[in-house]
Amino acid sequence: VLFEFLTSQEVATLLGVSLRQVSNLRREGHVVAVADGVYDRASVLRVRNARAAHRQRAWTERTAWQAIAITAGVEAHFIGQTQRSRLKAALRLMEAETFVSLVRDRARVHRVTGHRRSAHRIAAELVNTGTAAARLGLTSAAVRIDGYATIAEVELILERYHLGQATGSDDAAVLRAVSEVSRSDVERINTAGDLLAALSLAESLDDRERSAGLDYIGSALGDRLAHAS
């Protein structure tokens, strides 16, 4: 498969942002630059998917994880009580695509290659969400590496396994680095269900995966929050 590339202006037009915001997205790891002013199209499309339903600023990392915990039915106190109450009220009226958009800054994402020989070891070092595809109705989907760790842990994994930046939509390991919540917090949420896996699928470029992710999130928002206090 040939990789496709976009200029800075094409990225800005596709995402509806300024050139300065494109530079910010590059610096924060959201879009992948393959050269100065040249971007990997697949990474830009993933950002578009994550932002599709909501143009306002994403929630902070702590607020995003509080929303995820609430929706997953996990007790957490990442933000204050007043903020949590307001967040619960907002979530009761929220659609799945909007939820995906607002929690998009929950972690810094590294899409990497060079992992095949070490796949099982890398997965073991993450809070891995990549094995949930079958439970979400994607019975033929390949098992993937997609998981969370702290910033320090992700940096060590990148160095230890000599992982390089991935481009295109080919199979890549996805390492998601968190800084405002602990690994154990992420593990508690992941153990409670498949919401984290669904969030990853909802940002996919594959229509079937995206639909499966959004369906799960929509059900979680409806089922968990209908009786939330």
Side-chain angles (χ1 to χ4, degrees):
V1 177
L2 294 177
F3 298 147
E4 297 182 54
F5 307 108
L6 298 172
T7 65
S8 298
Q9 185 58 62
E10 288 171 333
V11 175
T13 300
L14 187 62
L15 298 181
V17 300
S18 68
L19 290 174
R20 181 176 180 179
Q21 288 173 301
V22 171
S23 296
N24 290 339
L25 288 169
R26 173 184 179 175
R27 186 179 65 254
E28 295 165 1
H30 295 298
V31 296
V32 175
V34 297
D36 189 24
V38 181
Y39 292 85
D40 171 48
R41 185 173 184 269
S43 70
V44 176
L45 292 178
R46 290 188 187 95
V47 171
R48 187 186 65 175
N49 279 358
R51 296 163 59 99
H54 217 281
R55 293 299 180 183
Q56 78 175 49
R57 185 185 298 273
W59 282 328
T60 65
E61 183 178 333
R62 294 185 72 85
T63 301
W65 281 103
Q66 186 68 63
I68 292 168
I70 292 170
T71 307
V74 173
E75 184 71 18
H77 300 88
F78 302 134
I79 59 178
Q81 176 60 48
T82 300
Q83 292 172 296
R84 292 200 304 273
S85 296
R86 291 173 179 169
L87 187 58
K88 285 182 180 180
L91 288 170
R92 290 191 189 101
L93 303 175
M94 192 166 291
E95 296 182 353
E97 287 188 342
T98 301
F99 183 83
V100 172
S101 178
L102 289 173
V103 303
R104 64 184 183 269
D105 285 350
R106 63 192 179 278
R108 178 159 185 167
V109 178
H110 301 264
R111 294 184 180 274
V112 297
T113 58
H115 65 280
R116 292 186 183 280
R117 293 180 181 177
S118 307
H120 292 294
R121 283 180 288 168
I122 294 172
E125 295 188 35
L126 300 168
V127 180
N128 192 31
T129 68
T131 58
R135 293 195 298 274
L136 295 177
L138 302 174
T139 54
S140 62
V143 174
R144 69 196 73 192
I145 298 173
D146 189 330
Y148 295 80
T150 65
I151 289 177
E153 289 169 335
V154 168
E155 289 176 351
L156 285 174
I157 292 170
L158 294 173
E159 181 178 355
R160 181 181 299 124
Y161 298 104
H162 308 290
L163 301 175
Q165 181 174 266
T167 57
S169 56
D170 59 341
D171 184 30
V174 184
L175 313 182
R176 302 178 187 271
V178 296
S179 59
E180 298 294 325
V181 297
S182 70
R183 182 190 179 100
S184 61
D185 290 325
V186 179
E187 287 174 337
R188 286 194 302 123
I189 292 169
N190 193 47
T191 301
D194 294 324
L195 183 59
L196 293 181
L199 283 169
S200 298
L201 292 174
E203 296 172 357
S204 173
L205 301 184
D206 182 277
D207 289 341
R208 185 165 164 260
E209 291 185 352
R210 180 169 168 77
S211 178
L214 290 172
D215 286 348
Y216 183 96
I217 294 165
S219 295
L221 285 168
D223 295 344
R224 297 285 189 186
L225 301 172
H227 305 101
S229 59

